Amino acid sequence: MTARNTALPADTRSDRVSPPTRRVIRILELLGAHPDRSWTLAEVARELGLVPSTALAILNELRHSALVVRDESDKSYTPGPALLALGKAADARFPALRALAHQLEPLSRSLGYGCSIHMRDHDELVMAHRFGPSERFVEAVIGVRYPFAPPFGLLITAWASDEDRAAWQARTPRAARHLDLPELLAHTRRRGFGVEGIGLLTPSAILSMIADLDGDVATQPGRVSERFTEPGPDPTGSDPTGSEPAAGGLEDIQYGYGAIAEDQSYVVGLIGAPVFDSSARTRFIVFLHLGGEALTGALINTIGAELAARTAEATRRLHGVFPSGYPGT
C-alpha cells in the first residue's frame, strides 16, 4: 500500500531552498517513479499541482538537455537518455550499494517483499535504493529524507556509543516520547535486527516528527514538498494532504516491537538489519517491507534472522567490522 498526492519532507535542512529547482526535481522524480508509463503535460501538471505553462516550460528545458523525451504521436513524456549518464555516474560512485542490492535481491524475490537500503547523512536518513514489489511500499521515491531522531535510526543507534545514543534520544519528538527506547534498543541488539509496525516511514509519521522537531511544517515554505508514489491509502488512516501535519493518533501506532513471543501474532510493516563499516558503525540500514502483514512471532524471528545473516555476509564482503556483542559474531 502506498500514499498518493501525499506531502512528504523534501528535506529537513536549515539552509536555503529553491522552490523553482524543487519543481524541476519533482517532475524528474515523478517520471522516474513510474518507468512503465508515460505522462502528458496535463497529467504532469495535475499530479504535481503545477500551472500547465510552468510544467511545459520545465519539460521543454529538460527535453533540450535530453533529460526527458516526448513521444510526438501522443505528446507524452518519459525519462530521457541523458539520465543514463547520471545513473551510471551514481552507480560507479556507490559500488557498495550496488553490491548490497545484488546480494539482497534473491531474498526479496523469494519472500515477495520489497526491500530498501538507507544511509545516514548527518542529521538525516535517506532512502538510497529500493527494489521488489511496489505494492509493499508505503514510502515515497528513492531519495526521500527523514530525521535521524527517534523512532527513526534505531538500527544505527543500537550499536552506537553511549554518547551518540544519548544525543539521539535527546532529539525524541513529542509523538515518540511514549516509546520505551532503552527496551527497543536492547531487544534490537540482542536479536541483531529490528521489527517495526506500520507507523514507521509513512508520510504522516514523517511529517509529524518534523513538525515536532522544527515547529509547524505548514509555516515553513520550502521545507515540505509533495512526493508521489503509486496509488493507495496511507495505512495510518490519516489524511496528510490537509493544511496541518497529521499528528493526532500517531502515539497509538506501534512503531517498534521489543520482546516478541513466538506464539503471538504481530502486524509488521518493516523488518530491518544493519550493515557495518570498518569502524563497526552502521553503514547501511536494510529494510524488508511487509506492508502491514500479520505474522507469528516465530515467523518474524525466522525472517529477521535470515535478513540479518544476509546483512552480516554483506558486512564481511564490504570489509566491515562487527561491534562487540553483535549476534553470531
Side-chain angles (χ1 to χ4, degrees), residues 171-209:
R171 297 191 68 206
T172 304
R174 289 187 302 273
R177 287 176 188 166
H178 66 293
L179 296 174
D180 188 340
L181 294 175
E183 180 189 14
L184 289 175
L185 290 166
H187 283 288
T188 300
R189 283 193 298 270
R190 178 185 58 79
R191 288 190 298 249
F193 60 89
V195 183
E196 306 288 347
I198 62 171
L200 197 72
L201 294 183
T202 57
S204 56
I206 295 175
L207 281 174
S208 176
M209 298 310 167

Side-chain angles (χ1 to χ4, degrees), residues 30-190:
L30 177 64
L31 270 60
H34 304 270
D36 58 340
R37 64 158 294 180
S38 57
W39 297 80
T40 65
L41 170 63
E43 290 171 334
V44 170
R46 183 171 58 252
E47 284 289 315
L48 300 183
L50 299 175
V51 176
S53 59
T54 299
L56 178 60
I58 295 172
L59 286 166
N60 283 340
E61 286 297 325
L62 293 174
R63 284 181 62 202
H64 181 72
S65 300
L67 292 169
V68 304
V69 294
R70 187 174 76 166
D71 187 332
E72 295 302 328
S73 65
D74 60 4
K75 303 297 190 284
S76 64
Y77 297 86
T78 54
L83 291 173
L84 290 173
L86 294 176
K88 288 181 179 179
D91 190 51
R93 179 66 180 81
F94 296 101
L97 191 63
R98 181 176 66 250
L100 180 57
H102 180 73
Q103 185 174 344
L104 292 166
E105 282 172 353
L107 179 63
S108 171
R109 187 166 52 250
S110 66
L111 294 174
Y113 298 146
C115 186
S116 65
I117 303 172
H118 302 241
M119 303 168 60
R120 183 180 177 183
D121 183 9
H122 189 49
D123 61 351
E124 295 178 314
L125 296 166
V126 58
M127 182 192 291
H129 191 38
R130 77 175 213 182
F131 49 90
S134 60
E135 66 272 12
R136 293 286 183 173
F137 292 99
V138 297
E139 300 78 13
V141 295
I142 293 171
V144 64
R145 291 174 175 268
Y146 51 101
F148 178 56
F152 309 116
L154 188 72
L155 288 163
I156 290 179
T157 314
W159 293 279
S161 66
D162 291 341
E163 181 181 0
D164 289 344
R165 192 177 304 123
W168 176 75
Q169 290 187 226
R171 297 191 68 206
T172 304
R174 289 187 302 273
R177 287 176 188 166
H178 66 293
L179 296 174
D180 188 340
L181 294 175
E183 180 189 14
L184 289 175
L185 290 166
H187 283 288
T188 300
R189 283 193 298 270
R190 178 185 58 79

